[in-house]
Amino acid sequence: MMKLPDRIDEALLERLARRVTVTGEDRELLDIEAPYTGETFGTLPMGTADDVSEAARQARAAQQSWSKQSFRERARIFLRFHDLIFQRKDEILDLIQLETGKARNHAYEEIGDAAIVARYYAFNARKHLKSRKRKGIYPILTATREQHAPVGLVGFITPWNYPLTLGITDAIAALMAGNGALLKPDRQTPFTALWAVDLLYQAGLPADLLQVVVGKGSVLGQPIIESVDYLAFTGSTGTGRLLAAATGEKLIGCTMELGGKNPMVILDDANLSRAARVAVWDCFSSTGQLCVSIERILIQSTIYDEFVRLFAEETQSLKLGASFDYSADIGSLISAEQLEKVRSHVEDAVMKGAKVAAGGRPRPELGPYFYEPTILENVTEEMALFAEETFGPVVSLYRFESIDEAVEKSNSSTYGLHASIWTRDTARGRRVASGLKAGTVSINDTYRSTWGSIDAPMGGFKDSGLGRRHGATGIVKYTESQTVTVQRLLQVGPPRGMSEERFHNFLTRGIKLLRRIPGLR
Ligand code: NAP
């Protein structure tokens, strides 16, 4: 076992391990590796289908009373969680870095995100879910209300790249809506998710309401779908397709937050030095292992050379390192598998004629999975990284002449998760944005401004997913809507003594009239 960073000790890891639901003693153990060194730092028991069933049973039992608590009572817990995150900030920063190998500045993004999502749903869940008056079939005579009931138990299958953000924030919305939750974090980063779960219990979450099972997605995925009433999945498009089909078979709702091949468009009037400085955050945050990371930059021809010069300078000045403080700008990739993907994409591109404008090499002297932030030019369709998501610190540069060409090239991907536009003319930027097939678009900033605008939905077009997280959609989806009407005086049908034909004539006049009355149509 490796030496742990100062704030992480065996006692903490043991406490977190006790949050995993297992029903037997004989479970296979999962080794958790620290990417900075490639050493194992902890182990957890791998769950089985029986463990999933037991976890679901416990969460459903706890959900019975939780669903009856008021929004205010639930909100108190999430606001306490918000405060505790900042009190325990250094500990969780260490843990995220330990499990993912990312730099501390990128680990901080996760803390900020978890806190603002907790705050947002604590203060806004009631507004999104309260019962609402709706227009009835007969004005005045029909009193119609829409109300929301929690679906019951929501399952979460989450990836490793943002283990705090993706491990807990969607569950916060589901819990605030009155549901129980069953979480399967990625096998590479379960301790971070367990830390968040443990903190929620410390903040006052009722026992058993939020369950964690650890293990292979291919083993636990189906039992989870069998056990839950809704599945929220974040991960690759390939896995998303399998899980969406399985939820379809069971006829339960799902959200699929999937991959991207996100473009940045630099227009000729952009502030180039700002765009170049900020583009390094957009391309290389979490060592490029970010669904909304920019992997393609399209630059208007007249400013191409100048932008490339500035962007290459910014990229080359980034400091890579494995340290549990803010001294490094960029950390490690998470695994040998990720390193191999990045290395093979770059090698394939270079072999087929791509030019390396910065980076392009692994850095084993820093740690086993380090790879330099890399900029490629002359990338063509035959190269694997032209269309495939690399999910690493590699970005390709392309020229364009007209805005139509930029929009067409941006939309040429099968993905449609995120895009970014740089221009001094924001009206022009908005016009370009409306032509892009991407779920979120940032103008003159990174993904941080769109992702962090959590009152608005976030998700993908095309192969980037189904459904949205954040905002009203991000919580309403965890409920069943129920429409209740109270009919006064007249029923929707002929009164006694009136023929169906007369009633239909009367109804036709009424329906035609409603078309003309503002406020009733
Ligand atoms: P992945 O292989 O799909 O894994 C994600 C999760 O799914 C893990 O918990 C994994 O479990 C589980 N899983 C794998 N196969 C499964 C199966 N057959 N049934 C049920 N669960 C299964 O994704 P990844 O490659 O690790 O993650 C990176 C991808 O996620 C990228 O494409 C990235 O763009 C995308 N992503 C999207 C968003 C978004 O918000 N749109 C955010 C972050 C990442 P194991 O532990 O067994 O692997």
Side-chain angles (χ1 to χ4, degrees), residues 443-501:
I443 299 175
N444 295 334
D445 198 9
T446 63
Y447 61 87
R448 289 174 186 167
S449 57
T450 39
W451 187 290
S453 297
I454 47 163
D455 190 30
M458 150 85 223
F461 284 30
K462 301 190 276 182
D463 289 358
S464 289
L466 266 184
R468 298 288 184 268
R469 56 164 57 97
H470 294 172
T473 325
I475 187 162
V476 172
K477 69 184 183 182
Y478 297 128
T479 64
E480 293 282 10
S481 74
Q482 185 180 49
T483 300
V484 179
T485 60
V486 178
Q487 190 60 26
R488 305 186 188 106
L489 294 173
L490 284 179
Q491 276 62 59
V492 185
R496 194 184 293 279
M498 184 189 273
S499 71
E500 284 282 354
E501 188 177 4

Side-chain angles (χ1 to χ4, degrees), residues 359-481:
R361 287 179 311 147
R363 295 289 297 274
E365 76 282 12
L366 299 173
Y369 314 132
F370 274 83
Y371 197 95
E372 290 176 341
T374 299
I375 307 175
L376 297 176
E377 292 180 88
N378 305 340
V379 169
T380 55
E381 282 180 27
E382 307 75 60
M383 304 171 188
L385 58 64
F386 178 83
E388 272 178 42
E389 183 186 38
T390 304
F391 216 55
V394 183
V395 61
S396 311
L397 309 185
Y398 305 89
R399 288 170 194 268
F400 69 87
E401 303 298 331
S402 67
I403 292 199
D404 285 350
E405 186 190 349
V407 169
E408 196 237 297
K409 282 186 163 155
S410 297
N411 290 341
S412 65
S413 170
T414 55
Y415 293 111
L417 189 58
H418 177 69
S420 149
I421 299 168
W422 284 83
T423 172
R424 283 192 170 87
D425 179 348
T426 48
R428 191 178 180 216
R430 283 181 196 280
R431 281 198 300 279
V432 177
S434 62
L436 296 182
K437 292 189 170 36
T440 53
V441 183
S442 310
I443 299 175
N444 295 334
D445 198 9
T446 63
Y447 61 87
R448 289 174 186 167
S449 57
T450 39
W451 187 290
S453 297
I454 47 163
D455 190 30
M458 150 85 223
F461 284 30
K462 301 190 276 182
D463 289 358
S464 289
L466 266 184
R468 298 288 184 268
R469 56 164 57 97
H470 294 172
T473 325
I475 187 162
V476 172
K477 69 184 183 182
Y478 297 128
T479 64
E480 293 282 10
S481 74

